Amino acid sequence: MTKSQGGDLAAFNNLVIASMAFAAKVASQLVPSRAVEDVCQEAFLSAYLGLHRLREPEKYWGWLKAVVAKRSVDYWRSARQHTGMGESDHTLLGYCGETSPERVQARDELRAILLRLSPEEVVLFKLALVEETPYRSIAIAFDTTVLGIKLRVHKLKKKLRSLAVSC
């Protein structure tokens, strides 16, 4: 880790190899499968450029998860700008192949609600409310304070309740 933080490209390459599966798993929970590789590439580029700022190397995995989450926000922001968020992917819905009418209806209602959220809110929804990621890790991903994340989560819950009533 120390060599990577010092700019040693070979050491960083070894770090990437060791953490690629982890980053891909995190990304696959936040973006469509076709975007996982691109999000991971962007995340590792960001990690390389920012690794010198990681003060506690033992927190690398949480820090990397936050970097992948940031790049996922960028992906959704770009997708919304270019495609109007018309994603048919089931990534954020936890699709498990369930086809009962009740599950299909619930999934469709959740999709309608998620499409009305901003890219940041979609990732916050996934990290805070689905994955129960610690607020400190989310704060790093969103480049804010834990209090800032708590406020965003509170506002998001309020917005979700409002959107659920209107469905």
Side-chain angles (χ1 to χ4, degrees), residues 124 128 134-136 138-140 142-154:
L124 184 61
Y135 284 171
R136 181 168 166 72
I138 300 170
I140 293 168
F142 281 82
D143 196 27
T144 188
T145 64
V146 171
L147 178 59
I149 292 301
K150 287 180 179 182
L151 290 171
R152 288 182 187 191
V153 169
H154 174 74

Side-chain angles (χ1 to χ4, degrees), residues 25-158:
K25 181 180 178 188
V26 171
S28 71
Q29 295 171 345
L30 299 172
V31 299
S33 58
R34 66 184 169 275
V36 168
E37 185 177 342
D38 289 340
V39 167
C40 287
Q41 287 177 356
E42 292 294 324
F44 282 116
L45 175 61
S46 294
Y48 180 73
L49 296 173
L51 193 58
H52 67 279
R53 292 189 307 259
L54 180 62
R55 298 192 196 294
E56 300 174 64
E58 66 276 5
K59 294 187 177 181
Y60 170 74
W61 297 102
W63 178 80
L64 180 61
K65 183 176 184 178
V67 172
V68 173
K70 279 184 178 181
R71 300 297 69 88
S72 297
V73 168
D74 293 344
Y75 166 82
W76 286 112
R77 186 178 293 123
S78 176
R80 178 164 282 173
Q81 288 172 352
H82 293 101
T83 66
M85 284 287 286
E87 297 291 334
S88 61
D89 196 277
H90 300 288
T91 304
L92 291 169
L93 304 178
Y95 182 71
C96 59
E98 180 69 44
T99 59
S100 70
E102 297 84 14
R103 297 284 291 201
V104 169
Q105 180 181 357
R107 193 170 47 241
D108 290 345
E109 288 173 3
L110 181 56
R111 179 178 292 114
I113 290 170
L114 290 175
L115 289 173
R116 294 174 68 186
L117 299 177
S118 73
E120 291 84 0
E121 289 170 330
V122 171
V123 173
L124 184 61
F125 170 82
K126 180 69 174 180
L127 292 174
L129 303 177
V130 177
E131 295 293 321
E132 298 180 342
T133 302
Y135 284 171
R136 181 168 166 72
S137 296
I138 300 170
I140 293 168
F142 281 82
D143 196 27
T144 188
T145 64
V146 171
L147 178 59
I149 292 301
K150 287 180 179 182
L151 290 171
R152 288 182 187 191
V153 169
H154 174 74
K155 289 178 182 179
L156 177 60
K157 286 179 180 179
K158 189 174 179 180

